Amino acid sequence: MNTLTLPSSQPRWLQALTARPALWVSLAAVIGSLLVGLLLVRLLGVPVVDAALAFADGAWGSPYAFAASVNRSLVFALVGIGFVLAQRANLTNVGGEGQIAVGGIAATAVALYGHVQDLPMGLGFVLPMLAAALAGGLWGALAGVLKAKAGTNEVIATLLLSFIAVWMVYGSVQSEALLRQPMTHSNTLPESLEVPEATRLPLLTGDYSMPLHLGLPIGLVLAVVVALVLNKTVLGLHLRAVGLNPVAARRAGIAVGSTVVGALFAAGVFGGLAGACMLQGEQYSLKAGFSSGFGFDGLVVGLLARGSVTGVIAGSLLFGFLRSGGINMEMVAGVPTALVVVIQGLIIVVLAGAALAMDRHKETER
Amino acid sequence: MSVWPAAVEPDSATPSSAPASAGALLCLQGMGKRFGAFRALGDVSLAIAPGEIHCLLGENGAGKSTLCNLIFGVYQPDEGVMTFDGQPYKPTGPADALARHVAMVHQHFSLVPDLSVVDNLLLGQSRGVLKRGECADRIADLSRRFGLALDPRARIQDLSVGERQRVEIVKCLMRDPRLLVLDEPTAVLLPDEIAALLGVCRRVADEGCGVMLVTHKLAEIRQVAERATVLRGGRVAARSEQPGQELDELVRAMIQRDLADTSATPESRAASARPMASVPGVDAIRTGRVPEPALMADGLSVVDADGVKRLDRFTLIVRPGETVAVAGVEGNGQSELAAVLSGMRPATEGRFFINGQEMTGRAPREITRAGAGIVPEDRHAVGCITGLPVAENLFLDRLQRFRRWGLLDRRAMREQALELMQRFDVRAASPDVGFGGLSGGNQQKAVLARELTLDGLRFLLAAQPTRGLDVGAVQAVYGHIQQACDKGVGVLLISSELDELIRVADRVVVLYRGRVMGECPAEPAQRDRIGAWMAGHEA
Amino acid sequence: MGWEMAAVFAGSTVRLAAPLLLSATGELVSERAGVLNMSVEGMMLTGAFAGAVGSWATGSPAMGLLIGVLAVLPVALLQAVLSITLRANQIVTGVGINILVLGATTLAYREIFGGRSRTEIPGLAKWAPPGLADIPLLGEHVFHQTWLLYAGLVIVALIAWMMRHTAVGLALHAAGAAPKAVDKSGLSVTAIRYGAVMLTGVMSALAGCFLSIGDIHTFTEGMTNGAGYLAIAAVIFGNWRIGRMLGACLLFGAATALQFQLPAFGIHVPSALLIMLPYLLALLAVGGLVGRQTAPAYLTQAYVR
Amino acid sequence: ADATRIGILIPGSKSDKGWMESGYDGLVAAQKAHGDKIKVQMIENINYADMEQALTNLASKNQLVIGVGGQTQAAVMKIAKRFPKTKFSIVGGNKGDSLPNVAGYDVKQAEIAFVAGAAAAMLSKNGAVSYVGGMEIPSIVNAGKEFGKGAAYINPKIKYVENYTGDFDDVAKSKEATLAAIAQGADVHYHILNLGLRGMEQAAKEKGTKIIGSYTDRCGSDPLYVAYSITGVGYQVEYAIKEVVSGSWKAGYKPFGLAMGAKASDMLICGGTAAQKTKLEEIKKDILSGKIKVLEG
Ligand SMILES: Nc1ncnc2c1ncn2[C@@H]1O[C@H](COP(=O)(O)OP(=O)(O)OP(=O)(O)O)[C@@H](O)[C@H]1O
Ligand SMILES: Nc1ncnc2c1ncn2[C@@H]1O[C@H](COP(=O)(O)OP(=O)(O)OP(=O)(O)O)[C@@H](O)[C@H]1O
Ligand SMILES: [Mg+2]
Ligand SMILES: [Mg+2]
């Protein structure tokens, strides 16, 4: 019906463009920001080719670099999927950082002190993961309960909860009564012990030359599940209904309050899982600053995706590889990694500003 | 100069003349306003002289507020010209209007609830340091001149509705208005407050200010109006130079039907606010001799956040197979009644039963389960989710039915939706188009389709089900309601369309200011009584 | 000795609270008008950076202050255009600006100072109000402060007075409580909100300058380190009233200052607990557990006539 | 011959006025000394999540990888197993698991902190000295304790105040911590801080107290500094590079500190009297001989 109403004089490419404005605007924002990044590289006096080569080498130049980029993308994607899930119910979950943090705490605690490493059938790494998911979920649900009961803006609540959780990690590795490793010698850092071998996420290739771990297939399966839930189930429809019109949803018998809490719980579960992947898949021990701002990167990925799981995957790959390449750019070409941060900031700001234009188009589409 | 609208010929019974433009304060010529494709106003001309109280009448949606907003600069006209004091007048915003001493009291209050009266009066009127004392003195002065008592230090949120209205008026008066526009200022006031307000209007006019008063209430017109203009569908339907004597003609022009005797004595007035026990048949129900009523409402009251009683001890029984209509001018408690019965808002007091089960304070879901179909008054806000496709909206409350292996069986949903759309003549390109893309009538038919196909339907609440629908759609809607009725469903129909509810319903109860004014069989012969009750004529 | 400790504690509290107070006051005005600036953090960082660079380049801390304030204007304008004119989600906008500013200042700092500069950045002079300066202990430890602190207090007092007693204050309040009423009274909601966001920018810039050239005469990458979010937390905890917000800022400042005083008394409280305390308190406040919160009714809602 | 390829990871900012900067200075000195014979890749300001990747990149392209700081140890140990042919040196490493391709250089800050404490006691006019540490980790805490003991060694009645800000780089907090110490009478301050040092300088300048520097010689260039200790972070970086270039690099734990000479660890009072100098020398000797026992760190 829509295509019929389009004036036929419009060229093909313009039709294609107007049909998916969000996609094109997002792409334009990303490409524009990358161009600004290149411009900055020039201004910094670094030959663009050198920088680009260093970038490519760091992002996908070797099996290891590739795997490291993918692992990072995995974390962003998990947080992003959680974000998109909650967003379906019109909830903005900016608490990914905190959910990663509590997930990390829970995974560490269970892996180290939960007597799980001798359990059969991979339970050794499954249980800490589940604990992380649960902890992240509860952390998210807390914001949901505040929203449902007291009408607290979930953005403010999840943000504050993030700060609290980040300092909880700091606190928990400061004290031996909590998760700090026993002080055996003078340089014993405020970190937890390394989690036992059996509680780590098994490597897919078996060695570290390409350290993809089991979190990746788990994440992919979950991504498919979430995409299914969002688009093909009653639950997904309920989420959408609550997000689009809570009053009508309530009238139609949907429990709006529990949906809100549930959505933020689910978002938190993904944050917690991201924490588990970071801890059990890569870092192996909990340290202050463990979450490394990945929760905020995941948030950006979620925002970029505009509600689609495919979008999350694309965005997380973009940022995962961007960051990996950025690190190498600094080592090889001397371009500060802060450049990547600038690019990220630009992308968010441009997309936020373009939202009205994109949504307006959507409205007329209906 | 001809200012008669081309399309509408003046009713021969309405003695009226072209508005005098000589010496007019405000003169409108051929004003038109569109909202998208919708023409809210077309070719409206009128004039207001200094010292004149000019009443603007019209049904809901006739365009009264839109016209006021054009004068006040909130909207800009698409066509037509205005002159003020003989000068061209083209306000681009309220600021322009205020600069020309045009002031307006809006239909909905525009006060800042957590500020004091003084601060509200000073907002936009003062620069630099606030001179609250000076302002309080002026308030006192105005209070004396116009008899409007106000405590300058009181906070708006602590004031009654009437007091707030007074603040709005004083706000206008502070600006030394030359033209005062009042959009339904009396809709929320108590009788003595109305009298006081009309007195103020009189005095303001006596000081040489032009007054434009929007109202639905005939008594007010009789009391103060010097001239009146009736809008209908955005066009001038009639004018009157002595509205006090031509009330009937005005009303006829407004609703295009007769309201012969507005002072008829209602015999069943006593029906209002009676206790449950006095409703005939209650004992029989309690003792199980008669089938459970579809709805039994026992003394339902609703008090809103401002402490105003919106619904006052509403008591009613709807039997299976019976259609009871709730008539009344909008805003007299119908919305609150619907909200309570659909579980969207708790009643302040009273109880109600659906199909014999007590549903007081239950969630909407439980009310649906008890067999109550609800066609809400505001279909956009409550009845549907415009962002979802038609099929999803058709089955919003029973999505579980389409679960197959945990996934949503869209195919089955689509098929059943198509079937339902055919049965209820919902016209859309496909079940997958967005609900918001349907025309108003088709949206309404879709909502009806959903509610009428509810499992175990015993009671149907249809609030304003035909609002905004074309003639064919209206027929279809009432056809469906009639069918449901025939199958033994009890129907409560809330409507302000007198003709239709008389045609469809078995009984009519009339709400006025939240109270049941009277009850009578829905027969054409009762129309006058019903009309009188709707206008608040008790005796 | 105990008294001296108390005086130092008080002075420390005041210094740590001052940047919060400055930026929180700006943010309060903006939130009152209906715009939530998550970007306070970024605005502070901009101010801190530009103030430091300006002071270093011109050799005059006062010029640095001016440059800091000027530099924040485009950032504030960006926030305003995005959230008011383009009606973008205010939170997303703010987070984006913060990330952008963090990256940009880090990059620029390294470019300008080469990352290894030991150059002393001239800082604002200290001053004590005559009379108060001579009070034993207090004079030295509490009242001897950067003049910006006193100027800031005066500005905050002026803003508090403005909010209460002037037409502008009234309009600001109404723009967040009932924008429709503002529009219909002939004022422009958009103009008021733009003004409020710009004021937040200026106040945040002052706060940032206080951090860099006021107190410690240096800039470090990402030096605001969450202070902007803390300022927002103070506004929330202060229930959108300047008086209570002042108390919240002092409380948050004291919580930090306590870290350095407790060891002297042999009391050991985990520092993580003290650091997260403000966030915890703010969470309790927004959760409605510390009295009834009454946020401006139209906070974060774009106005469409 | 090809240049020796060296990768260096500085977890903090290379311009932090402290540990990281000292390490970077060592690198610069080594580059000067070896010229074309070495080729360096460096990365700074790395958070935990990125550290492994950065180390792997460095390890795959270089013959020697230096991690500047104990916080790199865990990651280095992990990566070193995967790159048995690459050599790794950890500056500020400590005893622990050993790998055939990892060398850990122990800075032994506690030793020199004791000496610094002694110097502080000699320099203090009020009979009170203070110490501000960044993170509250054993090596930093031990250094603080030894500083206090060293001061008491000279003046048993001396008052000692210590404080930890939780962050080596937080300027405002170090300033407040120093002011708190000054309020208790301290007039000579020692520290293990990085960027945070600027806060201490600010406080000392305002209150007219003095600082004993660490890492860098500031005698004469800055009147705030009355003495400085050398903690050979830079020296260890230079050492690692020199060993690799000359082919004599060895794995395993290696204590530095006083035993490795003045470039690794030393204490100097700016314009100190002969008596002060001899006393400090005497203390150093006693520590080396074990007559004075100090904690590790
Ligand atoms: N901003 C708008 N956009 C679209 N349609 C509008 C808008 N404002 C009014 N309308 C439509 O214009 C018509 C006239 O509305 P208006 O408010 O003038 O009616 P009214 O006579 O004041 O009715 P009431 O008695 O209910 O106040 C209505 O159908 C309404 O839906
Ligand atoms: N976008 C819209 N589409 C359709 N109808 C609308 C729209 N906006 C408003 N209306 C209808 O137009 C009428 C006027 O609504 P509005 O909110 O503008 O109040 P108003 O009567 O103009 O207020 P005031 O009298 O205070 O100016 C209402 O009946 C409302 O339902
Ligand atoms: Mg109206
Ligand atoms: Mg209206």
Side-chain angles (χ1 to χ4, degrees):
Chain A
M1 218 169 82
N2 274 316
T3 41
L4 286 182
T5 56
L6 281 174
S8 53
S9 62
Q10 246 183 11
R12 259 262 172 73
W13 63 269
L14 201 63
Q15 284 183 28
L17 211 139
T18 39
R20 309 277 312 270
L23 179 68
W24 294 108
V25 174
S26 308
L27 265 182
V30 171
I31 293 172
S33 306
L34 287 175
L35 286 179
V36 173
L38 283 183
L39 190 74
L40 283 174
V41 167
R42 277 300 299 142
L43 289 179
L44 292 173
V46 178
V48 172
V49 178
D50 287 9
L53 282 178
F55 181 89
D57 187 37
W60 54 75
S62 65
Y64 177 86
F66 176 77
S69 304
V70 170
N71 280 344
R72 190 170 280 115
S73 301
L74 170 67
V75 173
F76 296 168
L78 285 171
V79 177
I81 288 172
F83 178 88
V84 165
L85 230 165
Q87 195 188 29
R88 200 49 74 97
N90 203 14
L91 297 164
T92 311
N93 169 39
V94 302
E97 187 78 4
Q99 289 145 11
I100 288 180
V102 291
I105 293 176
T108 311
V110 172
L112 286 176
Y113 308 107
H115 309 287
V116 292
Q117 77 249 44
D118 298 326
L119 292 177
M121 297 187 308
L123 278 179
F125 70 83
V126 171
L127 285 182
M129 263 191 124
L130 289 179
L134 184 68
L138 291 178
W139 209 241
L142 203 53
V145 171
L146 286 176
K147 168 120 192 162
K149 294 279 172 244
T152 309
N153 184 333
E154 79 280 2
V155 178
I156 294 177
T158 48
L159 190 74
L160 291 173
L161 282 168
S162 271
F163 287 119
I164 293 171
V166 164
W167 288 107
M168 269 166 53
V169 172
Y170 180 88
S172 67
V173 296
Q174 288 296 325
S175 159
E176 274 183 274
L178 300 169
L179 292 176
R180 185 177 191 159
Q181 57 186 328
M183 265 184 273
T184 49
H185 48 69
S186 62
N187 267 350
T188 308
L189 292 167
E191 308 176 355
S192 76
L193 284 171
E194 284 204 352
V195 296
E197 192 77 41
T199 64
R200 298 178 187 174
L201 285 169
L203 291 175
L204 296 182
T205 55
D207 72 31
Y208 284 97
S209 62
M210 190 164 163
L212 293 174
H213 55 73
L214 198 64
L216 182 64
I218 293 178
L220 285 175
V221 168
L222 285 177
V224 174
V225 169
V226 169
L228 276 180
V229 166
L230 287 184
N231 300 315
K232 302 246 184 289
T233 66
V234 174
L235 184 63
L237 215 47
H238 280 182
L239 284 172
R240 266 182 86 179
V242 168
L244 288 168
N245 185 343
V247 178
R250 188 157 85 89
R251 175 73 278 286
I254 300 169
V256 174
S258 7
T259 307
V260 165
V261 176
L264 282 170
F265 177 84
V269 161
F270 279 89
L273 279 177
C277 282
M278 287 172 76
L279 187 101
Q280 295 171 262
E282 296 171 86
Q283 297 191 27
Y284 299 153
S285 72
L286 190 72
K287 313 162 178 85
F290 151 82
S291 46
S292 304
F294 280 23
F296 289 111
D297 289 334
L299 159 71
V300 174
V301 164
L303 284 167
L304 255 168
R306 296 187 64 75
S308 107
V309 174
T310 328
V312 167
I313 292 174
S316 62
L317 288 174
L318 172 74
F319 279 129
F321 281 82
L322 202 59
R323 235 207 217 210
S324 281
I327 293 171
N328 208 49
M329 258 196 331
E330 169 159 351
M331 279 191 289
V332 178
V335 180
T337 39
L339 185 76
V340 173
V341 180
V342 172
I343 295 175
Q344 284 188 5
L346 272 177
I347 294 176
I348 305 172
V349 166
V350 172
L351 285 179
L356 184 65
M358 292 192 259
D359 290 342
R360 197 178 270 160
H361 188 97
K362 220 199 258 164
E363 253 160 41
T364 54
E365 236 174 31
R366 271 191 209 128
Chain B
M1 175 175 59
S2 166
V3 289
W4 278 110
V8 181
E9 278 303 314
D11 199 304
S12 56
T14 312
S16 49
S17 62
S21 58
L25 182 66
L26 174 76
C27 190
L28 311 183
Q29 293 248 357
M31 305 294 288
K33 176 71 186 169
R34 288 173 177 281
F35 292 110
F38 177 74
R39 192 185 176 98
L41 282 180
D43 199 19
V44 173
S45 303
L46 60 83
I48 299 175
E52 167 189 343
I53 297 183
H54 192 119
C55 274
L56 191 62
L57 292 83
E59 285 187 312
N60 297 130
K64 306 179 297 291
S65 293
T66 307
L67 186 62
C68 296
N69 282 332
L70 288 181
I71 296 172
F72 193 55
V74 177
Y75 298 139
Q76 278 69 51
D78 298 321
E79 39 196 77
V81 289
M82 294 190 270
T83 57
F84 189 81
D85 245 357
Q87 307 285 318
Y89 174 61
K90 279 173 99 175
T92 56
D96 285 355
L98 292 168
R100 302 286 287 266
H101 293 273
V102 174
M104 175 167 170
V105 173
H106 297 271
Q107 185 169 2
H108 310 290
F109 292 147
S110 44
L111 297 172
V112 189
D114 58 344
L115 288 181
S116 68
V117 170
V118 178
D119 286 356
N120 267 283
L121 294 177
L122 285 170
L123 181 65
Q125 295 231 46
S126 142
R127 273 165 210 289
V129 181
L130 297 174
K131 301 192 183 75
R132 292 197 171 93
E134 216 166 84
C135 181
D137 292 345
R138 279 205 69 191
I139 295 174
D141 180 43
L142 287 170
S143 298
R144 228 171 304 117
R145 251 166 74 203
F146 298 103
L148 290 157
L150 266 185
D151 171 9
R153 267 168 314 198
R155 284 216 290 180
I156 299 297
Q157 61 199 16
D158 303 328
L159 298 183
S160 74
V161 181
E163 288 170 312
R164 290 183 199 196
Q165 186 65 267
R166 241 177 276 161
V167 178
E168 287 278 19
I169 290 167
V170 170
K171 201 164 142 184
C172 291
L173 295 179
M174 297 259 300
R175 301 196 179 243
D176 297 323
R178 307 207 37 220
L179 175 68
L180 182 59
V181 181
L182 300 154
D183 191 357
E184 287 191 50
T186 56
V188 290
L189 298 188
L190 299 171
D192 48 336
E193 291 171 335
I194 293 177
L197 177 77
L198 295 179
V200 172
C201 287
R202 188 70 269 158
R203 258 168 279 180
V204 171
D206 288 347
E207 294 195 1
C209 176
V211 177
M212 170 126 139
L213 178 68
V214 179
T215 182
H216 287 291
K217 300 199 172 88
L218 304 180
E220 293 168 13
I221 300 166
R222 186 181 295 147
Q223 254 175 285
V224 294
E226 275 143 2
R227 284 198 287 168
T229 301
V230 177
L231 287 183
R232 189 177 162 77
R235 290 171 178 276
V236 174
R239 307 170 192 284
S240 169
E241 292 288 335
Q242 56 266 81
Q245 274 104 66
E246 297 167 356
L247 277 183
D248 295 349
E249 289 84 348
L250 289 176
V251 170
R252 206 178 321 126
M254 192 169 108
I255 57 174
Q256 282 196 338
R257 68 178 87 92
D258 277 308
L259 188 59
D261 184 8
T262 53
S263 53
T265 321
E267 57 190 59
S268 45
R269 234 201 91 231
S272 72
R274 60 207 156 150
M276 190 69 189
S278 70
V279 177
V282 153
D283 292 336
I285 293 159
R286 293 224 167 110
T287 49
R289 274 178 286 141
V290 180
E292 292 283 8
L295 170 76
M296 193 159 80
D298 182 0
L300 293 175
S301 295
V302 170
V303 178
D304 72 7
D306 295 327
V308 178
K309 206 159 201 177
R310 294 287 176 183
L311 188 64
D312 193 357
R313 285 166 290 160
F314 180 87
T315 297
L316 182 74
I317 284 178
V318 179
R319 293 184 190 81
E322 181 190 35
T323 301
V324 180
V326 176
V329 174
E330 255 181 82
N332 278 291
Q334 298 98 316
S335 310
E336 287 76 10
L337 175 63
V340 167
L341 292 182
S342 57
M344 297 300 279
R345 144 180 217 171
T348 317
E349 33 175 323
R351 305 189 298 165
F352 69 100
F353 302 77
I354 288 170
N355 197 22
Q357 291 168 261
E358 171 148 18
M359 284 290 134
T360 320
R362 294 300 183 84
R365 189 179 5 180
E366 296 170 283
I367 287 173
T368 305
R369 279 214 199 106
I374 311 280
V375 179
E377 170 184 22
D378 188 341
R379 55 178 170 259
H380 276 266
V382 189
C384 69
I385 295 174
T386 45
L388 289 180
V390 176
E392 269 85 340
N393 270 287
L394 280 172
F395 302 116
L396 198 58
D397 56 355
R398 62 200 77 144
L399 291 167
Q400 321 293 346
R401 199 186 284 170
F402 301 98
R403 201 146 37 184
R404 230 172 106 218
W405 299 322
L407 295 188
L408 197 60
D409 187 351
R410 270 240 163 71
R411 168 101 73 70
M413 193 157 89
R414 221 186 116 99
E415 276 164 13
Q416 292 198 25
L418 264 174
E419 190 197 316
L420 215 56
M421 285 164 69
Q422 256 153 26
R423 222 172 97 201
F424 285 83
D425 190 30
V426 180
R427 287 178 210 165
S430 89
D432 306 324
V433 298
F435 197 84
L438 299 190
S439 78
N442 283 306
Q443 288 183 344
Q444 189 67 333
K445 284 187 274 183
V447 173
L448 261 170
R450 179 180 71 213
E451 300 301 326
L452 286 175
T453 52
L454 193 73
D455 284 335
L457 181 73
R458 298 298 309 277
F459 170 63
L460 180 73
L461 169 68
Q464 314 285 8
T466 59
R467 177 187 282 165
L469 302 199
D470 62 58
V471 189
V474 170
Q475 290 296 358
V477 166
Y478 282 125
H480 288 304
I481 291 179
Q482 198 64 59
Q483 267 178 20
C485 221
D486 294 344
K487 285 192 212 134
V489 172
V491 179
L492 186 66
L493 173 70
I494 297 177
S495 172
S496 32
E497 303 281 334
L498 204 53
D499 285 328
E500 282 166 12
L501 56 85
I502 285 178
R503 192 152 44 85
V504 178
D506 303 316
R507 265 192 299 150
V508 179
V509 296
V510 181
L511 275 182
Y512 181 75
R513 293 183 169 279
R515 292 200 314 161
V516 175
M517 282 294 286
E519 180 183 329
C520 62
E523 289 157 7
Q526 301 285 346
R527 165 177 289 167
D528 298 350
R529 265 167 77 195
I530 297 171
W533 284 334
M534 282 171 68
H537 291 278
E538 304 205 353
Chain C
M1 215 51 151
W3 289 112
E4 174 148 25
M5 285 298 294
V8 169
F9 174 64
S12 179
T13 299
V14 168
R15 267 190 306 277
L16 292 165
L20 293 184
L21 178 64
L22 286 169
S23 51
T25 305
E27 175 61 12
L28 183 119
V29 170
S30 175
E31 288 193 21
R32 271 271 162 235
V35 185
L36 176 72
N37 301 293
M38 277 287 171
S39 52
V40 172
E41 173 84 2
M43 295 185 195
M44 283 176 77
L45 192 57
T46 309
F49 173 72
V53 171
S55 173
W56 166 77
T58 62
S60 149
M63 279 305 287
L65 193 63
L66 183 67
I67 290 169
V69 170
L70 289 179
V72 95
L73 295 181
V75 180
L77 193 63
L78 180 64
Q79 166 80 43
V81 170
L82 288 173
S83 60
I84 302 170
T85 304
L86 294 176
R87 308 208 291 271
N89 182 326
Q90 297 180 0
I91 286 115
V92 176
T93 312
V95 172
I97 290 179
N98 290 346
I99 293 179
L100 186 61
V101 169
L102 177 63
T105 50
T106 304
L107 214 53
Y109 178 75
R110 293 187 182 192
E111 272 312 292
I112 294 172
F113 291 95
R116 292 206 13 91
S117 164
R118 214 175 280 296
T119 350
E120 178 83 1
I121 292 173
L124 298 165
K126 297 221 160 188
W127 179 72
L132 293 180
D134 305 327
I135 304 175
L137 291 181
L138 292 183
E140 184 196 347
H141 294 301
V142 182
F143 294 118
H144 191 70
Q145 303 280 13
T146 312
W147 62 261
L148 180 57
L149 193 146
Y150 293 102
L153 284 177
V154 172
I155 293 172
V156 170
L158 274 176
I159 289 177
W161 179 83
M162 187 248 331
M163 290 300 285
R164 263 191 99 78
H165 295 288
T166 68
V168 176
L170 201 56
L172 282 165
H173 182 109
K180 203 164 184 170
V182 173
D183 191 17
K184 291 192 170 161
S185 72
L187 300 172
S188 159
V189 177
T190 307
I192 294 169
R193 289 187 170 179
Y194 262 83
V197 172
M198 297 314 277
L199 180 73
T200 311
V202 171
M203 293 303 288
S204 302
L206 292 182
C209 287
F210 188 93
L211 284 177
S212 64
I213 56 175
D215 193 28
I216 51 182
H217 304 201
T218 190
F219 177 82
T220 60
E221 291 160 11
M223 76 183 298
T224 42
N225 206 6
Y229 295 110
L230 216 50
I232 294 172
V235 173
I236 296 168
F237 191 65
N239 201 12
W240 292 272
R241 298 221 202 91
I242 290 197
R244 268 187 67 175
M245 185 204 73
L246 176 83
C249 292
L250 286 174
L251 182 67
F252 293 177
T256 316
L258 215 53
Q259 279 180 73
F260 317 117
Q261 309 295 322
L262 290 182
F265 300 111
I267 302 171
H268 200 85
V269 178
S271 52
L273 202 65
L274 288 172
I275 299 171
M276 76 163 90
L277 189 68
Y279 300 112
L280 206 59
L281 290 174
L283 185 71
L284 293 179
V286 286
L289 298 172
V290 187
R292 228 169 67 92
Q293 292 294 106
T294 42
Y298 286 80
L299 184 60
T300 74
Q301 290 183 30
Y303 179 68
V304 195
R305 181 181 277 175
Chain D
D2 280 350
T4 310
R5 278 163 293 126
I6 289 158
I8 179 162
L9 181 134
I10 301 184
S13 161
K14 66 174 189 267
S15 51
D16 71 353
K17 291 199 161 196
W19 179 282
M20 306 294 163
E21 184 165 334
S22 169
Y24 183 68
D25 287 341
L27 175 69
V28 172
Q31 276 176 312
K32 219 189 216 162
H34 301 287
D36 285 348
K37 278 191 285 183
I38 60 172
K39 211 166 159 248
V40 177
Q41 278 189 354
M42 189 200 78
I43 186 156
E44 61 171 326
N45 267 337
I46 278 289
N47 62 35
Y48 280 116
D50 295 331
M51 199 178 280
E52 257 189 67
Q53 191 185 352
L55 276 173
T56 306
N57 280 353
L58 291 174
S60 62
K61 299 196 184 79
N62 296 290
Q63 287 148 298
L64 170 70
V65 175
I66 304 173
V68 182
Q71 58 267 58
T72 64
Q73 176 147 337
V76 166
M77 293 312 249
K78 212 179 325 172
I79 305 299
K81 284 182 206 139
R82 301 177 211 163
F83 292 91
K85 289 203 204 99
T86 309
K87 302 180 172 70
F88 294 86
S89 289
I90 302 163
V91 173
N94 48 267
K95 276 191 224 150
D97 323 324
S98 59
L99 285 174
N101 59 336
V102 179
Y105 305 151
D106 192 343
V107 211
K108 289 197 159 288
Q109 290 190 92
E111 284 181 354
I112 203 64
F114 185 96
V115 189
M122 294 173 194
L123 293 166
S124 171
K125 298 194 177 69
N126 292 358
V129 296
S130 78
Y131 169 82
V132 178
M135 266 194 227
E136 217 170 335
I137 57 178
S139 52
I140 308 298
V141 174
N142 288 350
K145 282 190 189 135
E146 290 306 330
F147 177 78
K149 279 205 263 170
Y153 183 78
I154 297 294
N155 174 6
K157 281 192 295 197
I158 197 136
K159 178 166 182 187
Y160 166 60
V161 185
E162 65 177 7
N163 238 320
Y164 298 89
T165 60
D167 185 341
F168 290 112
D169 297 323
D170 193 312
V171 184
K173 285 183 183 171
S174 333
K175 179 176 178 183
E176 297 303 337
T178 308
L179 286 176
I182 294 173
Q184 303 217 52
D187 60 351
V188 178
H189 321 293
Y190 190 55
H191 64 93
I192 295 187
L193 290 170
N194 298 336
L195 278 178
L197 176 59
R198 298 189 195 182
M200 177 175 271
E201 289 175 354
Q202 202 61 47
K205 202 187 278 174
E206 276 170 26
K207 300 290 174 191
T209 54
K210 301 294 178 194
I211 301 175
I212 296 181
S214 46
Y215 306 112
T216 319
D217 174 8
R218 296 244 175 69
C219 283
S221 65
D222 190 336
L224 272 182
Y225 290 86
V226 288
Y228 72 97
S229 67
I230 291 170
T231 310
V233 178
Y235 175 68
Q236 292 179 13
V237 172
E238 278 181 73
Y239 177 85
I241 294 173
K242 192 186 80 200
E243 295 285 285
V244 160
V245 169
S246 66
S248 53
W249 184 91
K250 273 200 294 292
Y253 171 77
K254 182 170 180 60
F256 275 64
L258 291 169
M260 288 291 286
K263 277 186 90 176
S265 193
D266 202 0
M267 182 72 226
L268 278 152
I269 295 179
C270 305
T273 63
Q276 287 173 334
K277 258 183 204 152
T278 32
K279 186 69 194 163
L280 290 183
E281 283 309 318
E282 191 184 298
I283 293 172
K284 282 194 236 171
K285 257 191 220 106
D286 286 349
I287 293 174
L288 276 175
S289 70
K291 204 168 138 203
I292 298 175
K293 280 223 175 316
V294 296
L295 294 163
E296 268 183 51

